[in-house]
Amino acid sequence: MDQWSPWNDLDPAMRKDWTGTTGQPGEKVCWDSKNENAGKGCQELKKVDETGKRIDTEIKFLTPYESEANAYVTVVPEGNGSKATWGFTSQIPYPFTLMKLFINMEDAIGKDYQKGLSGLKALSEKP
């Protein structure tokens, strides 16, 4: 995911520390950026589907505010290629729950997710 994450463009000098075995549950990356839009946090690989069609991660954001999310990526055959889906679930703590009334999450981060999926597509189609 690090190769196609849209948030890497926010700070190419972002510090990242990796632990665990690549592609295995427990692999973890923690990042720290001086750019407040990138912030600071950690993402841990929680589960890899045995067929390789889904991965689940847990994200802990430390700055600009503390929160947690569970993210997933699925890749399934479709036509002559594959279809990738990237999503997340999160609980929004009070008082930020009031913001849900005024903010559409699709509008807020949809373009970032689309940029990431476009990056994944380009990466997967390289010869």
Side-chain angles (χ1 to χ4, degrees):
M1 291 180 76
D2 190 57
Q3 294 179 26
W4 51 270
S5 171
W7 296 289
N8 283 337
D9 294 342
L10 294 174
D11 181 1
M14 179 184 326
R15 193 182 94 229
K16 296 179 187 173
D17 295 311
W18 297 84
T19 58
T21 303
T22 301
Q24 298 297 313
E27 177 188 14
K28 185 184 222 180
V29 61
C30 293
W31 70 91
D32 189 358
S33 173
K34 295 190 185 320
N35 180 327
E36 69 179 38
N37 292 317
K40 179 179 182 176
C42 295
Q43 183 170 20
E44 182 176 349
L45 181 58
K46 298 306 261 182
K47 183 178 179 183
V48 178
D49 179 278
E50 291 178 14
T51 63
K53 294 179 182 172
R54 179 180 172 118
I55 63 167
D56 292 278
T57 64
E58 179 182 79
I59 307 168
K60 294 185 180 184
F61 299 99
L62 302 173
T63 63
Y65 58 89
E66 289 189 30
S67 65
E68 294 181 7
N70 293 305
Y72 64 90
V73 175
T74 61
V75 179
V76 294
E78 183 175 274
N80 291 332
S82 298
K83 177 182 177 183
T85 303
W86 183 20
F88 78 99
T89 58
S90 179
Q91 297 292 321
I92 300 174
Y94 182 83
F96 300 106
T97 51
L98 300 174
M99 291 172 41
K100 288 192 318 186
L101 300 172
F102 306 102
I103 295 176
N104 178 318
M105 290 304 287
E106 179 68 27
D107 291 341
I109 63 170
K111 65 182 181 315
D112 293 328
Y113 270 59
Q114 188 55 54
K115 181 179 178 184
L117 287 170
S118 295
L120 174 59
K121 182 179 189 304
L123 189 64
S124 67
E125 292 177 345
K126 276 187 177 180

